[in-house]
Amino acid sequence: MNQRPQAKPAPAISTSVEARKLAEDLMDTMSALLGIIERETELVRAGKLHEGMALEPQKTELARCYAAAVGQLKASQKPLAQSAPELLTTLHRNHDTFRAMLQVNLTVLATAHAVSEGIVRGVNTEMQRRNVPNTYTAAGQRAAPGPRHNTPLAVSRSL
């Protein structure tokens, strides 16, 4: 199996200069990631799924950077709270905004997924309904179709 090597966690900060640098890097990463997420949300809402999917590599890389920065921040929370409490408050506020926008994005993506799944299920149901013979049992009940009457549905994701 190909496994990615685990990155070593960054050392905890020890000075206020390092704390400010970490906070600035985290806010820059959150800002860039938020920009990508907002763009993806706009594209998915407009039905431009292929263009939205093209943002995935950027989003993945920024999410990786974000997770690394948050991990370093957690490891350095106590020194950061002592040296720059106002910076920590600003980070929490920005993170709350970021989380709210991420929730909107996840809602839009879940809606798009549900709609597309509903369309595929509807097409499949209609195909199966048209391929099932209309027969009845001796008791006058509609006969359940056997497995040989099921027609497979193939979907091309390359379109």
Side-chain angles (χ1 to χ4, degrees):
M1 285 187 200
N2 280 344
Q3 290 186 353
R4 297 169 93 180
Q6 294 293 327
K8 293 181 181 177
I13 59 168
S14 57
T15 67
S16 62
V17 173
E18 289 175 338
R20 292 203 183 282
K21 174 72 173 128
L22 175 62
E24 288 172 5
D25 289 348
L26 182 57
M27 285 193 273
D28 289 345
T29 302
M30 276 195 312
S31 181
L33 186 55
L34 189 57
I36 294 289
I37 288 171
E38 286 175 342
R39 180 72 181 134
E40 180 186 50
T41 301
E42 290 171 9
L43 290 170
V44 171
R45 279 184 175 158
K48 299 177 181 178
L49 301 177
H50 191 66
E51 291 175 34
M53 288 173 35
L55 299 173
E56 190 65 30
Q58 289 174 294
K59 190 169 104 172
T60 300
E61 179 60 25
L62 286 169
R64 187 192 61 73
C65 293
Y66 171 77
V70 167
Q72 188 177 9
L73 183 70
K74 283 183 179 180
S76 308
Q77 192 164 2
K78 193 176 259 186
L80 184 60
Q82 291 171 351
S83 66
E86 73 287 344
L87 196 57
L88 198 55
T89 303
T90 302
L91 280 172
H92 281 293
R93 190 172 44 249
N94 287 349
H95 190 261
D96 288 343
T97 302
F98 176 75
R99 203 171 28 211
M101 291 305 296
L102 186 60
Q103 187 60 44
V104 168
N105 177 262
L106 291 173
T107 302
V108 168
L109 292 177
T111 301
H113 182 267
V115 167
S116 63
E117 184 176 336
I119 290 170
V120 171
R121 286 185 188 274
V123 167
N124 184 45
T125 300
E126 187 62 26
M127 280 179 52
Q128 300 312 322
R129 188 184 64 76
R130 289 184 180 182
N131 290 328
V132 173
N134 290 324
T135 58
Y136 296 90
T137 65
Q141 301 294 322
R142 188 171 184 160
R148 71 176 197 184
H149 295 291
N150 288 337
T151 304
L153 174 65
V155 178
S156 172
R157 291 184 171 204
S158 65
L159 297 177

